Amino acid sequence: MNIDLDFSTIYTFMFSLVSWLLWAVGRVLGFIGIDEGSFFYPIKQFLVDPQFVTFVSYLLVAVIYFVFVFLFAGLTVIWMERKLLGRFMDRRGTQVGVLGLFQNFADGIKTLLKEIIIPRDADQKVYTWAVVLIIATSAMLMGLVPWDDEFYAVNVPLALLLGLAVFSLAPFAILIGGWASNNKYTVIGGMRAAAQLIAYEVPMLLVVVSLVVMTGSLNFVEIVNWQNDNIILLVPLAIGALTFFVAGIAEVERVPFDLPEAEAELVEGWQTEYGGFRWGLIMLCDYIRAYIVCALFAILFLGGWLGPEPIPGAVWLLLKTFFLFFMMVWVRAAMVRIRTDQILKIGWRRLLPLAVINLVVVVLIKVYSVGGW
Amino acid sequence: MAEEVKKRTTYRSRKELKPRLYIGDPMVAVFRTLVRTTINRPNTILYPWEKLIMPDCFRGRPGIRLEKCIECKKCVKICPNQCIQMVPIDHPTLGKVNRPQVYVARCMMCGYCAEVCPTNAMMVTPEFELAAYTRSDLMFDPFKLQYEHKPGYEVHSPMITPSELKAGKTESHDKGDMAIKDTVELDPKKCISCQRCAKTCPVGAITMADTGEVNPKTNKPVKRPVFDNNKCVSCEQCVEVCPKSCLSMKEAM
Ligand code: SF4
Ligand code: SF4
Ligand code: SF4
């Protein structure tokens, strides 16, 4: 089904809006006497340049997209987690506003209004840029994950690989963020985070390799199309799906693999020294990443936006994603956290062999059932 | 069963800790909670809108009936947190009197003041929502402390001793019972007939009675206080006020 709200529409609208605005600006400039021959004429020329108009409209679309996505995906997911955790724990979750929907906005405003404190001896630049790195990578990932086969920000041929590459920038940002805060706890937290995230990167990539072998593509749209033509990948790749899910939970630092954050043991983990809106953004990015992992899982193993007709594809993807996030919340409500050595042991000694087995299974299927390469 | 429990050491063996214990059981348990709380409702009480029904014996902040108070200061003495003070007030009908004021911020709502009050002037109220913006708001002066009396707000503490129970006694003592009341004792040798105790006694339980003797120095008749134990409320005011320390409380139990 076609969705009216696709990006070309928004873009066209933005383009006309921007060109109209700039045209108006040009008129005003002409009115106050800046015209051909004037000293400021190049500025007017620059403003009405079609390339500039295109650039501005792209920028506007990007801003709208990210604000929409951060608000929609991030806040819904946070709200879901709060509400569901409440029910899981026999209490109520948030209660502000209708169904507690406004609590997130209240918290956002609260963190926004807090003073930004940078520790005196911190490495200021790295301290600041680590946050930017995390936010930027999350935003980039958000742009990579499509909503529908016609509703996406970008559609690069190697999207899956690029996505995982961007994902694996997180340990770097966390490590330098923890180091730059100039606090022993944050350094230890950062190191633990790096160890954990790198340990779980490997099985995740191996599962992706099996996906490539199976579908012959690294593009989300093609992978989903392959599933449309053949079979939902969860069925042949059940082991891989499990591995991916567990590794995904670890990658986004959620219970039981939440050592990087480690509220209880390491004060607040690597983000101890971050405060105010930076901390808020880091938390938001945590949830955005959780959302992305769920969306990736839904696209890779559950057929993405495939589903019966009357409901649009993007909604199907959202439903699947939310279901997976529900699973994550469930795990969070039920599990106890585990130690560093156990985390690494599970990563290297359980998930890695599982991923390899999954790969073997895929190769066997490919060779015997589909008739070889 | 008990044997088995005894045999267990502090640590569980590794075999006992199957993955089921970490993953399966908790997952099932929380899911059951989710279903239950979704179908019914969570265990939370939405406090400002919903409130628990107070039990009959609930003891909130103390309240007072100004007319019944006899200024005996028993409440001041008993309060474990020392939050009661006697303050002078100007009452339209009672005139200038002293009445207790309570610093509710410090009150732990033990209800001792109500329990000890011989006239049930002090009582417990069902009020427990006492939040205020300043500390001084929580200093309840006698007028603010006033509360409408309803049966049940006074505290009765029936008493019975173990020896009495053993002896087969079933009915217990109540407030004002002579058997449990401390009484005042006089050491007549020390008394100088100053009459201060008689003036202090809030219930007028002391009368100065002639002994028939005459003081050789002043040629005035010697008087000694006589205590009406039925009226006495054991407030120790007389003991405190006596300049020669000739009074003491004789404990009943
Ligand atoms: S209730 Fe207890 S703490 Fe409060 S004023 Fe009375 S005796 Fe003191
Ligand atoms: S114990 Fe009762 S009668 Fe005595 S001063 Fe206190 S309130 Fe008044
Ligand atoms: S006789 Fe003494 S203890 Fe008894 S009520 Fe009078 S002042 Fe209080």
Side-chain angles (χ1 to χ4, degrees), chain A residues 42-119:
Chain A
I43 296 179
K44 187 183 166 188
Q45 277 283 295
F46 176 72
L47 282 181
V48 294
D49 191 40
Q51 278 184 345
F52 182 67
V53 172
T54 324
F55 173 71
V56 171
S57 51
Y58 267 135
L59 210 61
L60 276 179
V61 170
V63 166
I64 288 179
Y65 181 74
F66 287 123
V67 167
F68 168 73
V69 156
F70 267 65
L71 282 185
F72 183 73
L75 292 186
T76 336
V77 161
I78 296 175
W79 174 80
M80 251 182 88
E81 166 147 291
R82 290 176 144 185
K83 259 336 215 191
L84 278 174
L85 267 186
R87 297 278 162 166
F88 271 124
M89 293 171 179
D90 203 356
R91 61 183 168 84
R92 282 170 198 268
T94 57
Q95 292 208 60
V96 182
V98 187
L99 292 174
L101 275 169
F102 295 155
Q103 179 72 55
N104 287 331
F105 292 97
D107 287 350
I109 291 168
K110 186 190 82 181
T111 49
L112 188 64
L113 293 181
K114 279 188 178 172
E115 187 188 352
I116 293 175
I117 301 171
I118 302 179

Side-chain angles (χ1 to χ4, degrees), chain B residues 184 197 200-203 205-206 227 232-238 249:
Chain B
V184 194
C197 50
T200 317
C201 182
V203 287
I206 308 182
F227 304 96
C232 175
V233 293
S234 322
C235 68
E236 289 186 47
Q237 298 273 36
C238 48
M249 293 309 278

Side-chain angles (χ1 to χ4, degrees), chain A residues 133-209:
Chain A
L133 196 56
I134 289 174
I135 298 165
T137 49
S138 307
M140 207 162 151
L141 281 168
M142 218 52 233
L144 277 174
V145 178
W147 299 70
D148 197 347
D149 51 351
E150 292 162 343
F151 185 18
Y152 47 74
V154 285
N155 185 16
V156 284
L158 295 180
L160 184 48
L161 206 55
L162 179 59
L164 283 182
V166 175
F167 225 94
S168 56
L169 279 176
F172 173 65
I174 291 175
L175 192 53
I176 62 167
W179 174 79
S181 305
N182 197 14
N183 175 335
K184 288 191 185 65
Y185 292 111
T186 61
V187 177
I188 296 172
M191 287 188 189
R192 282 160 48 150
Q196 169 184 329
L197 297 193
I198 290 168
Y200 284 83
E201 203 78 45
V202 179
M204 222 170 170
L205 269 172
L206 274 179
V207 175
V208 168
V209 168

Side-chain angles (χ1 to χ4, degrees), chain B residues 107-123:
Chain B
C107 173
M108 61 174 172
M109 315 209 170
C110 59
Y112 279 0
C113 47
E115 185 180 323
V116 84
C117 181
T119 58
N120 283 336
M122 195 69 103
M123 63 206 170

Side-chain angles (χ1 to χ4, degrees), chain A residues 338-367:
Chain A
I338 48 186
R339 285 198 313 264
T340 321
D341 58 327
Q342 290 168 331
I343 283 184
L344 294 184
K345 220 186 254 174
I346 292 173
W348 294 113
R349 303 230 303 238
R350 301 280 186 277
L351 290 191
L352 196 58
L354 274 180
V356 173
I357 291 171
N358 178 54
L359 193 55
V360 171
V361 169
V362 169
V363 171
L364 288 181
I365 293 176
K366 196 75 182 173
V367 169

